[in-house]
């Protein structure tokens, strides 16, 4: 290995102390706190909600049949059928995080496998995989997700699968470009000369160099996934009622936007805050893990 080559262990060493550097950034800390609160609410929701999120309270509606504003009994008010909005938001956090983590995890895994295989093997493998990636990128992600969601019967796991199917292409293109460069390095040629197999080279030498990129995309992608799930649910083709989702809470209550604006603003603020939190953490991780940014902060 030449003196200018990057050691296979270098990416792993560069990732040490990431958490310590992360908590020195106020915006990243804010993002971590918001994410921690959302995770806590999702995990312990059944024990911390004051009411059953599916129960329709007779006293949850006014005499005219309108939703109630926030008060001591219903902290965030009630929805159009008298259900406690706070309890539904807590359960909605579970829906958003499950879809965000599962769908984005599948997208990152698929994109990483496609990108590494296409960049390493070249030839017909590269042609088939990258032309298919280009084909998928030609379709607007939201439009493709709407079509797929309309074809399948919407449910929690179907929505996660649909989002994963439209979100893997960006990371595949990035990983492919980096893998092409890595595959031409001298230490990869040396491994081949020593008889190392393709799987060993990809797992022991290519993948470690890609971990920083994968971690950043995995974090940033959750924000995109949460927003896409909310959009699909708002359009009525995402997670179906009565399962609470921040998007379908807005969809169900949009007719009361002028008379009961909290029914739209509060879940909308929750979506915005969670997406912002993941973006802040992802941006901080990108600055920390990107070798070109070392020493700039």
């Amino acid at each position: 290995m030449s003196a200018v080559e990057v050691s296979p262990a270098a990416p792993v060493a560069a990732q040490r102390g990431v958490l310590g550097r992360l908590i020195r950034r106020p915006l990243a800390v804010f993002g971590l706190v918001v994410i921690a609160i959302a995770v806590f609410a999702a995990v312990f929701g059944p024990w911390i909600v004051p009411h059953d999120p599916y129960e329709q309270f007779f006293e949850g509606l006014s005499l005219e049949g309108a939703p109630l504003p926030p008060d001591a009994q219903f902290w965030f008010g009630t929805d159009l059928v008298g259900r406690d909005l706070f309890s539904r938001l807590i359960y909605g956090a579970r829906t958003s995080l499950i879809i965000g983590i599962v769908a984005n995890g599948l997208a990152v895994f698929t994109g990483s496998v496609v990108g590494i295989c296409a960049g390493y093997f070249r030839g017909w493998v590269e042609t088939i995989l990258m032309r298919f990636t280009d084909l998928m990128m030609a379709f607007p992600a939201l439009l493709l997700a709407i079509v797929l969601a309309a074809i399948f019967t919407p449910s929690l796991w179907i929505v996660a699968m649909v989002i994963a199917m439209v979100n893997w292409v960006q990371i595949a293109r990035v990983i492919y470009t980096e893998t092409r460069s890595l595959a031409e390095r001298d230490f990869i040629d040396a491994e081949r000369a020593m008889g190392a197999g393709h799987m060993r080279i990809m797992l022991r030498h290519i993948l470690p160099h890609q971990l920083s990129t994968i971690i950043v995309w995995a974090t940033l992608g959750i924000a995109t996934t949460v927003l896409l799930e909310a959009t699909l649910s708002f359009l009525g083709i995402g997670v179906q009622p009565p399962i609470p989702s921040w998007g379908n809470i807005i969809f169900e209550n949009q007719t009361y936007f002028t008379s009961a604006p909290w029914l739209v603003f509060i879940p909308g603020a929750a979506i915005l805050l969670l997406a912002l939190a993941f973006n802040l953490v992802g941006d901080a991780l990108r600055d920390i893990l990107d070798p070109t940014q070392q020493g700039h902060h």
Side-chain angles (χ1 to χ4, degrees):
M1 186 183 302
S2 67
V4 297
E5 286 295 336
V6 179
S7 166
V12 178
Q15 292 160 17
R16 294 174 182 168
V18 170
L19 182 60
R21 299 177 61 186
L22 198 62
I23 61 178
R24 289 198 291 268
R25 296 166 178 258
L27 291 178
V29 171
F30 171 77
L32 289 172
V33 170
V34 171
I35 293 170
I37 293 173
V39 171
F40 179 85
V43 173
F44 298 100
W47 294 276
I48 63 177
V49 292
H51 304 286
D52 184 342
Y54 302 101
E55 184 176 354
Q56 302 177 18
F57 293 92
F58 176 76
E59 68 274 20
L61 296 173
S62 67
L63 295 177
E64 294 78 19
L68 295 180
D71 58 23
Q73 181 180 2
F74 303 109
W75 298 346
F76 287 173
T78 59
D79 65 6
L80 76 167
V81 293
R83 295 173 297 195
D84 179 46
L85 182 60
F86 176 77
S87 300
R88 291 186 65 77
L89 280 175
I90 295 298
Y91 271 67
R94 173 179 298 184
T95 302
S96 294
L97 284 175
I98 287 177
I99 290 181
I101 293 172
V102 172
N104 194 59
L106 288 173
V108 169
F109 176 79
T110 303
S112 299
V113 171
V114 170
I116 290 176
C117 289
Y120 177 77
F121 287 111
R122 305 290 186 89
W124 64 269
V125 175
E126 175 187 22
T127 300
I128 293 175
L129 292 178
M130 296 319 297
R131 294 301 75 78
F132 179 68
T133 301
D134 293 339
L135 178 65
M136 293 293 292
M137 292 184 73
F139 291 96
L142 179 58
L143 180 60
L144 182 58
I146 291 173
V147 171
L148 291 173
I151 293 174
F152 300 102
T153 303
S155 68
L156 184 67
W157 303 111
I158 290 296
V159 171
M161 182 197 70
V162 166
I163 294 175
M165 289 174 66
V166 301
N167 273 359
W168 63 269
V169 291
Q170 290 82 9
I171 187 172
R173 174 60 69 178
V174 173
I175 294 296
Y176 160 73
T177 302
E178 295 186 1
T179 301
R180 281 198 60 174
S181 175
L182 282 171
E184 297 174 352
R185 296 288 188 90
D186 290 345
F187 67 87
I188 299 296
D189 292 335
E191 285 292 318
R192 292 195 187 100
M194 290 188 293
H198 297 312
M199 189 63 65
R200 174 183 171 86
I201 293 175
M202 287 190 291
L203 293 179
R204 295 290 300 273
H205 299 282
I206 300 293
L207 182 61
H209 284 81
Q210 306 285 19
L211 283 180
S212 297
T213 301
I214 291 172
I215 291 171
V216 171
W217 274 87
T219 307
L220 291 172
I222 293 178
T224 304
T225 302
V226 169
L227 290 173
L228 185 53
E229 180 277 323
T231 302
L232 293 176
S233 296
F234 174 75
L235 294 174
I237 53 177
V239 178
Q240 296 298 293
I243 298 175
S245 160
W246 291 343
N248 67 27
I249 290 174
I250 298 176
F251 171 72
E252 290 176 334
N253 300 289
Q254 60 181 318
T255 54
Y256 285 87
F257 175 72
T258 54
S259 59
W262 63 87
L263 295 177
V264 174
F265 287 146
I266 294 179
I271 295 169
L272 175 64
L273 199 59
L274 186 61
L276 176 63
F278 278 109
N279 276 328
L280 290 174
V281 174
D283 285 341
L285 284 173
R286 179 177 57 194
D287 292 343
I288 292 171
L289 297 176
D290 186 355
T292 64
Q293 299 292 329
Q294 302 299 320
H296 291 191
H297 300 280

